Structures are given as C-alpha cells and as structure tokens.
Amino acid sequence: MAAWGVTACDADKVIHKLEELNFVDDFRFARAYAHDKLEYSGWGRNKIIQGLWAKRLPRQAIEQSMSEIEDDRYMEVARKVIYAKIRQSKEGIATFEARAKIFRFAMQRGFETAIASEIIKEYVRDLEDEEAEEYTEEEA
C-alpha cells in the first residue's frame, strides 16, 4: 500500500477492516496452505508444518490446520506419492539401497517415519503376494 501512496494510518484501517471480514486471517491461510500442499504438492505433515513456521504463523493456527487433515486422505496421498516414486525408480525396491532411497524421498516430502516405513512394507508385501500368486498359477 505504501507503493500506492496510502498513508500508514489508512493502511492500518484497511488491514483492520480486512481482518474483521476474515479476508486476512492466519487460521484461514494455514488451513488453505495445508490443504493445497497436501493435495497439489504431495507434502507430508512435517514439511507443511515447516512451511507454516517459516511464514511465522501462530502455533494455534498450525495445530488447527494439521488437525483438520483427515487421516484417510493423508494416507491416500502418502501412498500415491511413494508408490509413484517407486514406479519411477530404475531399481524399484529390489535392494536395500533402493528402499533406503525411497524412504529418504518420503522423509524429504515430509511424511512421518512410521507412515513411510509402513507404506514401503505394504508395497513389498503386495509385490510378494503378486509373485506368489503368479507362481501358483504357473504350477496349475
């Protein structure tokens, strides 16, 4: 507003009015930021929280935005992101090093250790089940 020549007093009035009308609201921003980063960027909770802290939002706004993320949707996004990375990887998850690489990727995306580990193990189990099923079909 200073670039437009608005005085500091008038700028304060405008900002106060926008806050009254909930156009400028930390809680609203935190909620929208968390939703968009999860849905469109595939970020986990840790990275979203870090982003909100970097924007200097109050702890209450951050905690509320995290509590509004549904666990089922969160797991669905985490699974989608990690599975996509596995399919994209040349090695897949055949070796320990390849699994560690996928795990590090999940950590960089902000997913919790337990969730990333669970999803990778789930992928390995599904892969083993498919191979066992193919093997029994060949014998028949």
Side-chain angles (χ1 to χ4, degrees), residues 45-60:
R45 285 186 180 108
N46 293 334
K47 192 165 184 174
I48 294 170
I49 290 170
Q50 187 177 31
L52 290 169
W53 273 112
K55 296 195 178 295
R56 302 185 191 280
L57 292 176
R59 168 179 257 121
Q60 297 86 357

Side-chain angles (χ1 to χ4, degrees), residues 16 24 28 38 47-48 91 109 111 134 137:
H16 182 68
V24 176
R28 180 176 163 216
L38 175 67
K47 192 165 184 174
I48 294 170
E91 305 119 6
R109 277 298 184 96
F111 294 105
E134 287 175 14
E137 287 176 4

Side-chain angles (χ1 to χ4, degrees), residues 9-48:
C9 182
D10 289 340
D12 286 342
K13 288 178 186 176
V14 169
I15 290 171
H16 182 68
K17 187 65 174 178
L18 290 172
E19 287 173 343
E20 278 180 19
L21 298 172
N22 287 330
F23 282 106
V24 176
D25 182 15
D26 289 340
F27 289 90
R28 180 176 163 216
F29 175 80
R31 190 172 33 258
Y33 182 92
H35 173 268
D36 290 353
K37 291 302 181 181
L38 175 67
E39 293 294 330
Y40 304 119
S41 299
W43 286 10
R45 285 186 180 108
N46 293 334
K47 192 165 184 174
I48 294 170

Side-chain angles (χ1 to χ4, degrees), residues 83-99:
Y83 280 17
K85 184 64 175 180
I86 292 170
R87 287 189 299 274
Q88 178 185 4
S89 172
K90 293 177 190 174
E91 305 119 6
I93 55 170
T95 64
F96 175 79
E97 290 81 18
R99 279 182 233 153

Side-chain angles (χ1 to χ4, degrees), residues 67-133:
S67 69
E68 292 179 6
I69 294 176
E70 296 175 13
D71 289 337
D72 291 341
R73 182 63 188 149
Y74 184 75
M75 287 298 291
E76 187 179 319
V77 170
R79 195 172 286 112
K80 177 181 152 191
V81 168
I82 294 170
Y83 280 17
K85 184 64 175 180
I86 292 170
R87 287 189 299 274
Q88 178 185 4
S89 172
K90 293 177 190 174
E91 305 119 6
I93 55 170
T95 64
F96 175 79
E97 290 81 18
R99 279 182 233 153
K101 198 175 197 180
I102 300 297
F103 187 77
R104 283 192 304 273
F105 167 79
M107 296 297 98
Q108 290 171 346
R109 277 298 184 96
F111 294 105
E112 295 86 341
T113 306
I115 289 174
S117 178
E118 177 185 330
I119 291 172
I120 292 169
K121 286 177 185 177
E122 176 184 294
Y123 189 89
V124 170
R125 276 193 307 272
D126 291 347
L127 194 60
E128 289 172 350
D129 289 346
E130 285 177 19
E131 289 173 358
E133 192 175 291

